[in-house]
């Protein structure tokens, strides 16, 4: 008998976001959705026994249109994630936390990590999740908040179905907070954001983990 993973949220050490935040300012724009406000890089990994994780050769990222109504069935070629960042102890801590909590297959289990920045202005909202209430089409999804600067909104919301009016969770994911959910059981969404300071960009930096 095995318990089924549902949701887990936890706080990482303060230095994790502090160190990794320095790798967001040079992120390339996302050429597939709102490239003037969305910036993104990507990496593909394999977990191994003994706590070792291997970065695999770079490849395109694809989601089925069954799950992504905006860019589903499109081969998306994101820029590779910084090798220097991937080798930091702080990034490894995130990877190890994700692998440990989900218990993904140490032989055949691959997982992806997306480094994403979404910006916003005071007079125009930005949609961190343009798909709306959705699933990503994986077994597990993890979201780690690196930075929230000058923004209001951006609530992390978890639902039982795409038409549910009352989320199980409706909270702001703060810096150094990590939430992992069973993507086959729940739907998730990030509400729109606005800059909270006149004349300054609002910024939301996250890592998104996906695993089969």
């Amino acid at each position: 008998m095995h318990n089924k993973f549902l949701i887990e949220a936890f706080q990482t050490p303060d230095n994790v976001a502090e160190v990794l935040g320095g790798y967001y300012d040079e992120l390339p724009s996302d050429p597939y959705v709102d490239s003037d406000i969305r910036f993104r890089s990507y990496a593909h990994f394999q977990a191994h026994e003994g706590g070792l994780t291997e970065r695999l050769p770079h490849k395109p990222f694809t989601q089925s249109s069954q799950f992504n109504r905006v860019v589903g069935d499109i081969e998306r070629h994101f820029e590779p994630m910084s090798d220097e960042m991937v080798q930091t102890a702080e990034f490894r801590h995130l990877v190890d936390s994700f692998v440990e909590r989900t218990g993904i297959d140490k032989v055949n289990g691959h997982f992806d990590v997306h480094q994403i920045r979404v910006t916003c202005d005071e007079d125009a909202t930005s949609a961190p999740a343009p798909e709306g209430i959705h699933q990503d089409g994986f077994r597990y999804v993890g979201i780690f908040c690196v930075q929230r600067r000058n923004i209001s909104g951006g609530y992390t919301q978890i639902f039982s179905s795409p038409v549910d009016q009352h989320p199980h969770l409706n909270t702001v994911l703060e810096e150094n907070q990590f939430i992992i959910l069973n993507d086959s059981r729940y739907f998730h969404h990030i509400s729109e954001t606005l800059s909270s300071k006149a004349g300054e960009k609002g910024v939301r930096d996250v890592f998104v983990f996906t695993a089969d």
Side-chain angles (χ1 to χ4, degrees), residues 41-203:
S41 70
Y42 163 72
H44 186 52
F45 297 91
Q46 163 76 61
H48 295 291
E49 294 289 353
L52 300 175
T53 302
E54 174 189 6
R55 182 172 184 173
L56 299 177
H58 199 63
K59 69 180 185 67
F61 179 73
T62 307
Q63 285 176 284
S64 167
S65 58
Q66 175 186 353
F67 297 100
N68 193 320
R69 295 167 293 177
V70 179
V71 286
D73 297 332
I74 295 174
E75 243 188 29
R76 286 182 282 170
H77 295 263
F78 297 120
E79 291 296 319
M81 199 173 283
S82 160
D83 278 327
E84 178 183 303
M85 183 189 71
V86 166
Q87 293 169 12
T88 63
E90 290 76 16
F91 184 82
R92 306 303 296 184
H93 178 79
L94 295 184
V95 166
D96 292 345
S97 297
F98 182 74
V99 170
E100 176 187 351
R101 282 164 169 81
T102 56
I104 62 175
D105 190 326
K106 301 300 192 303
V107 177
N108 300 308
H110 296 175
F111 63 96
D112 300 313
V113 186
H114 303 261
Q115 182 186 9
I116 302 172
R117 164 171 284 185
V118 178
T119 64
C120 56
D121 295 306
E122 61 182 305
D123 56 354
T125 60
S126 293
E131 310 94 328
I133 300 173
H134 67 286
Q135 292 172 307
D136 284 345
F138 297 92
R139 187 175 181 188
Y140 305 109
V141 168
I143 306 169
F144 176 77
C145 181
V146 176
Q147 179 178 213
R148 285 176 57 93
R149 186 176 74 234
N150 303 336
I151 68 169
S152 58
Y155 283 80
T156 298
Q157 301 171 324
I158 297 176
F159 299 86
S160 292
S161 79
V163 295
D164 194 352
Q165 300 298 309
H166 303 287
H168 285 290
L169 179 72
N170 183 33
T171 188
V172 169
L173 202 62
E174 301 286 359
E175 295 176 5
N176 288 299
Q177 292 179 349
F178 201 159
I179 187 167
I180 304 171
L181 61 139
N182 184 326
D183 188 56
S184 62
R185 170 64 180 84
Y186 294 108
F187 293 75
H188 62 280
H189 178 56
I190 310 298
S191 67
E192 292 181 333
T193 61
L194 272 172
S195 172
S196 58
K197 289 189 178 181
E200 294 189 23
K201 286 279 188 185
V203 174

Side-chain angles (χ1 to χ4, degrees), residues 9-28:
F10 55 96
Q11 184 95 20
T12 68
D14 291 344
N15 65 307
V16 175
E18 180 181 355
V19 170
L20 297 178
Y23 292 94
Y24 277 78
D25 289 339
E26 303 301 322
L27 270 185

